[in-house]
Amino acid sequence: MRQILDRIADKWSLLVVALLASRRMRFTELLREVDGVSQRMLTVTLRQLERDGLVERTVYPVVPPRVEYELSSLGVTLHSAVQSLVVWTETHQVEIASARAAYDRAQQALESDHGRADPASGAGARRTR
């Protein structure tokens, strides 16, 4: 079970599944659309998704060879499950950004207080929630 979760929770896999949910795509299209992925990593990701039965690969007998990828019926069910997470993220992104900013401010204040405090006295220590 852990191996499956590791695969589907991988950032590249999630991005590929999300892209293929809308249409079948060629490798070069995926490479262009998945920001930051290397050619090698995309190849590995697609092979793993194909091995797990989430993506189907179609090779057309033309010169040069044309290969397209699309979600399998199992991959479509995964996308449906992941879509809930995407909606949650979109709904709460402002709250998460605010929480991150508050945390970062508190960490900066703690570090600046710690730098000025006398370490032997314990002054400047703070408790976080």
Side-chain angles (χ1 to χ4, degrees):
M1 187 166 149
R2 181 172 177 216
Q3 290 175 342
I4 295 169
L5 285 174
D6 286 346
R7 168 88 58 251
I8 62 176
D10 170 83
K11 72 176 177 178
W12 302 125
S13 296
L14 288 175
L15 291 170
V16 167
V17 167
L19 285 169
L20 292 177
S22 60
R23 64 187 173 94
R24 89 177 50 151
M25 298 177 79
R26 296 179 71 170
F27 183 87
T28 52
E29 291 176 290
L30 285 165
L31 188 60
R32 193 171 41 249
E33 294 291 324
V34 180
D35 189 37
V37 72
S38 68
Q39 185 172 346
R40 182 187 181 295
M41 194 67 232
L42 181 57
T43 299
V44 168
T45 299
L46 287 166
R47 283 184 186 157
Q48 291 171 340
L49 290 170
E50 184 181 5
R51 181 175 181 247
D52 290 341
L54 300 169
V55 166
E56 293 174 353
R57 178 178 180 260
T58 304
V59 180
Y60 296 93
V62 294
V63 177
R66 190 174 101 216
V67 180
E68 293 181 338
Y69 297 89
E70 64 186 314
L71 289 184
S72 66
S73 55
L74 183 61
V76 170
T77 65
L78 172 61
H79 180 259
S80 297
V82 169
Q83 192 60 30
S84 298
L85 181 60
V86 170
V87 168
W88 181 89
T89 304
E90 289 171 345
T91 302
H92 298 286
Q93 65 185 342
V94 171
E95 294 168 83
I96 292 168
S98 295
R100 286 178 176 177
Y103 179 88
D104 292 345
R105 283 191 304 275
Q107 287 301 105
Q108 287 175 339
L110 184 60
E111 289 170 8
S112 108
D113 285 351
H114 182 67
R116 288 188 299 239
D118 176 12
S121 71
R126 289 191 181 170
R127 185 173 162 209
T128 60
R129 296 186 251 166

